[in-house]
Amino acid sequence: QVQLVESGGGSVQAGGSLRLSCTCSGYTFSFYSMAWFRQVPGREREGVGAIYLESDVKWYAASVEDRFTISQDFDKNTVYLQMKSLKPEDTAMYYCAAKIRASGDSWNYGDAYTFWGQGTQVTVSS
């Protein structure tokens, strides 16, 4: 059974940093790409960024591209989201997701992702 487990969320003050981790297990195939999404209750899910695992190409939402960095550790089956200069508007539940094959969809089209983690909460206070 494939599992994606996020960790690293928490509460920080504006300007602070957090590093989220997404560790994958239970699969015998390679994912095509992985992404981070976030969601605030009552609002649409938002793509934060994605990494194409073989090429290491990365995509970011405009709102985070100069503050967030996605990376991968192949040996640990883990993808990270390093978040710096956090703002109150970054407050959300953060989810990682995995896509198993290429598609014609944009990296931030959530329905193209097959596996999802349970989420980790990030709260940024002003």
Side-chain angles (χ1 to χ4, degrees):
Q1 181 179 355
V2 175
Q3 283 191 314
L4 276 61
V5 179
E6 302 98 332
S7 61
S11 297
V12 296
Q13 291 191 327
S17 299
L18 284 172
R19 188 178 77 161
L20 306 184
S21 301
C22 175
T23 301
C24 311
S25 63
Y27 64 100
T28 59
F29 48 83
S30 298
F31 295 139
Y32 173 72
S33 66
M34 295 190 67
W36 288 94
F37 290 81
R38 64 187 181 186
Q39 190 166 25
V40 175
R43 297 178 60 179
E44 288 190 2
R45 181 176 57 199
E46 175 189 19
V48 176
I51 180 169
Y52 291 80
L53 300 178
E54 184 173 348
S55 66
D56 207 41
V57 170
K58 301 160 190 176
W59 293 86
Y60 297 96
S63 59
V64 307
E65 63 182 344
D66 57 344
R67 300 184 294 121
F68 291 9
T69 303
I70 294 177
S71 61
Q72 61 174 314
D73 186 327
F74 179 82
D75 292 335
K76 295 182 179 179
N77 295 326
T78 300
V79 171
Y80 302 99
L81 180 66
Q82 177 69 53
M83 305 185 294
K84 299 180 179 179
S85 302
L86 283 161
K87 304 175 181 180
E89 51 263 44
D90 295 317
T91 295
M93 184 72 80
Y94 283 71
Y95 300 89
C96 69
K99 185 185 292 188
I100 60 175
R101 63 178 61 87
S103 70
D105 303 301
S106 174
W107 67 266
N108 58 352
Y109 181 61
D111 288 351
Y113 291 83
T114 304
F115 301 106
W116 290 80
Q118 83 290 346
T120 185
Q121 177 68 37
V122 172
T123 302
V124 185
S125 58
S126 57

